[in-house]
């Protein structure tokens, strides 16, 4: 049963907003001191629970995983400070996670939608262009307001990355998703794919490694964010090495995208494109690596505070989730130092509070 927790340190209500005096009462945050004494006092810098904006709870390297494995994935993410996950595709319905108070909150996207035989085997609903709209409508109804398209992948006949679907099909699919009340995000590695997606009115881009200067004004004007998944992009050299003998053009392309990954994200950030943090955990990337992604964004040139914002306040606002506001669910982290100046402090959290319960941290006297 949730009681009263007092947070005695600085409270970061925004990337550049700080105040004092915060309590969790029966699972809800309040800035009004309760009449009763607290059951627990946590001292340190308080921030909202982190957001992993590209995560696959319920997927492993081979695709679908059993429920007990998905549960461990969710707990691993939670114990790293991720208290809100935007799912970017899973094989089975994972809404059961939403019924478990000890697991992170999750916004689901249904299954990936890919072109036939043009994606990882066993991961996606695979369709031809004429069936794309119907597939999008189905996945929009199966999820929590998001649909995930695989925008491009290797075309083995061409020997390089190529768009998964014709531009007209993508436009019709995005329009159908919007009709269903869902937003669309798309896996995009290549340069030209981004043009098709922007033309279609896409709502978000995953990876975005093909970002060029010509794209930047459109991203800003259309308000399209990027979730770079930099710790996933770090695997490109291995992919290129494995593909080089059979698909040398594809291998060279992937290596070139990897080499320019940091400068492209920094250019996007400096141009005013919204950047959000996502790990792509659940296939080749292990869960619980959100701090690695924040540090990778910082390493690409984003100020530490901006990198943190990409996985905290700004990300929550984008997803329509409360951060630290009066009456919000008490989903917060307690840090030993100001994480805006030292992202590393997120690796040694003093407390993780989810739905008003201390799920990890030290309890005085224990």
């Amino acid at each position: 049963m949730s009681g009263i927790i007092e947070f005695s340190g600085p409270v970061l209500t925004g990337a550049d907003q700080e105040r004092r005096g915060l309590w969790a009462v029966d699972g809800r945050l309040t800035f009004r001191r309760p009449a009763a004494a607290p059951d627990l006092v946590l001292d340190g810098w308080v921030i909202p629970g982190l957001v992993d904006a590209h995560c696959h709870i319920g997927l492993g390297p081979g695709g679908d995983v059993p429920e007990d494995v998905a549960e461990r994935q969710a707990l691993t993410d939670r114990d790293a400070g991720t208290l809100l996950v935007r799912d970017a595709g899973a094989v089975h319905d994972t809404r059961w996670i939403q019924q478990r108070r000890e697991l992170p909150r999750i916004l689901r996207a249904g299954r990936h939608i890919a072109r036939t035989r043009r994606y990882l085997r066993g991961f996606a609903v695979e369709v031809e262009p004429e069936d794309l709209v119907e597939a999008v409508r189905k996945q929009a109804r199966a999820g929590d307001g998001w649909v995930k398209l695989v925008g491009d992948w290797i075309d083995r006949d061409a020997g390089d990355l190529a768009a998964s679907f014709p531009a007209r099909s993508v436009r019709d699919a995005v329009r159908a998703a919007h009709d269903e009340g869902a937003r669309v995000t798309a896996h995009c590695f290549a340069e030209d794919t981004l043009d098709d997606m922007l033309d279609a009115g896409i709502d978000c881009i995953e990876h975005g490694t093909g970002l060029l200067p010509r794209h930047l004004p459109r991203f800003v004007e259309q308000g399209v964010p990027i979730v770079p998944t930099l710790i996933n992009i770090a695997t490109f050299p291995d992919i290129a090495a494995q593909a080089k003998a059979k698909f040398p053009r594809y291998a060279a392309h992937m290596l070139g995208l990897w080499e320019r990954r940091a400068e492209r994200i920094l250019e996007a950030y400096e141009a005013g494109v919204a950047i959000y943090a996502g790990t792509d955990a659940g296939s080749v990337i292990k869960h619980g690596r959100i701090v690695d992604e924040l540090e990778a964004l910082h390493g690409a040139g984003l100020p530490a505070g901006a990198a943190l914002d990409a996985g905290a306040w700004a990300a929550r606002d984008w997803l329509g989730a409360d951060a630290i506001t009066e009456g919000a669910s008490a989903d917060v982290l307690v840090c030993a130092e100001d994480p805006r100046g030292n992202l590393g402090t997120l690796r040694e959290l003093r407390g993780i509070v989810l739905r008003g319960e201390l799920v990890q941290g030290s309890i005085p006297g224990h």
Side-chain angles (χ1 to χ4, degrees), residues 121-153:
R121 185 177 300 175
F123 278 63
V125 173
E126 298 186 2
V127 299
E128 288 299 288
E130 60 269 22
D131 298 318
L132 181 60
V133 166
E134 181 182 354
V136 163
R137 290 190 181 278
K138 181 176 180 180
Q139 296 308 315
R141 294 165 186 167
D144 301 322
W146 283 96
V147 174
K148 171 68 177 292
L149 295 181
V150 178
D152 56 27
W153 199 250

Side-chain angles (χ1 to χ4, degrees), residues 67-144:
E67 189 170 301
D68 64 316
V69 175
E71 178 185 43
R72 290 198 297 273
Q73 292 174 340
L75 289 170
T76 298
D77 287 325
R78 182 202 73 181
D79 291 348
T82 295
L83 302 186
L84 175 62
V85 166
R86 185 190 62 145
D87 165 61
V91 176
H92 281 126
D93 189 333
T94 56
R95 72 184 69 213
W96 59 270
I97 294 173
Q98 297 169 329
Q99 310 306 314
R100 298 278 297 275
R101 288 182 55 83
E102 78 278 18
L103 300 183
R105 300 180 187 277
I106 184 171
L107 300 173
R108 300 159 32 260
R111 293 190 69 175
H112 303 67
I113 303 173
R115 184 72 174 266
T116 310
R117 293 184 295 276
R118 290 278 306 283
Y119 194 52
L120 299 167
R121 185 177 300 175
F123 278 63
V125 173
E126 298 186 2
V127 299
E128 288 299 288
E130 60 269 22
D131 298 318
L132 181 60
V133 166
E134 181 182 354
V136 163
R137 290 190 181 278
K138 181 176 180 180
Q139 296 308 315
R141 294 165 186 167
D144 301 322

Side-chain angles (χ1 to χ4, degrees), residues 238-325:
D238 288 340
I239 295 171
Q242 294 171 22
K244 185 175 181 179
K246 193 170 183 180
F247 301 108
R249 190 149 61 97
Y250 166 75
H253 195 174
M254 293 292 283
L255 197 57
L257 294 173
W258 172 78
E259 289 171 343
R260 295 186 294 277
R261 68 200 183 284
E263 65 187 71
R264 286 176 167 174
I265 292 305
L266 181 57
E267 288 172 356
Y269 169 74
E270 291 178 338
V273 178
I275 305 292
Y276 300 117
T279 64
D280 206 358
S283 52
V284 299
I285 303 299
K286 293 182 179 181
H287 285 264
R289 295 191 60 193
I290 187 62
V291 180
D292 289 341
E293 184 64 23
L294 297 179
E295 290 183 337
L297 290 171
H298 181 40
L302 273 66
L308 180 60
D309 198 21
W313 307 274
R316 284 179 169 271
D317 183 62
W318 173 56
L319 294 173
D322 289 332
I324 298 178
T325 58

Side-chain angles (χ1 to χ4, degrees), residues 36 42 50 54 56-57 64 77 103 117 139 148 161 165 168 177 179 198 200-201 205 214 221 295-297 315-316 324:
L42 295 176
L50 298 176
H54 185 136
H56 304 279
I57 295 175
D64 195 27
D77 287 325
L103 300 183
R117 293 184 295 276
Q139 296 308 315
K148 171 68 177 292
L161 289 169
F165 299 101
R168 178 173 294 180
D179 287 345
L198 291 167
I205 291 293
R214 73 169 186 261
E221 291 164 10
E295 290 183 337
L297 290 171
R316 284 179 169 271
I324 298 178

Side-chain angles (χ1 to χ4, degrees), residues 158-183:
D160 199 359
L161 289 169
S164 301
F165 299 101
R168 178 173 294 180
S169 298
V170 175
R171 286 197 297 272
D172 292 344
V174 171
R175 188 177 301 115
H178 291 169
D179 287 345
E180 297 288 342
R183 291 185 279 182

Side-chain angles (χ1 to χ4, degrees), residues 184-209:
V184 184
T185 192
H187 161 111
C188 295
F189 285 164
E191 295 84 354
D192 292 345
T193 313
L194 294 176
D195 296 290
D196 291 348
M197 294 298 165
L198 291 167
D199 287 345
I202 198 75
D203 300 290
C204 181
I205 291 293
E206 311 298 311
H207 318 302
T209 49

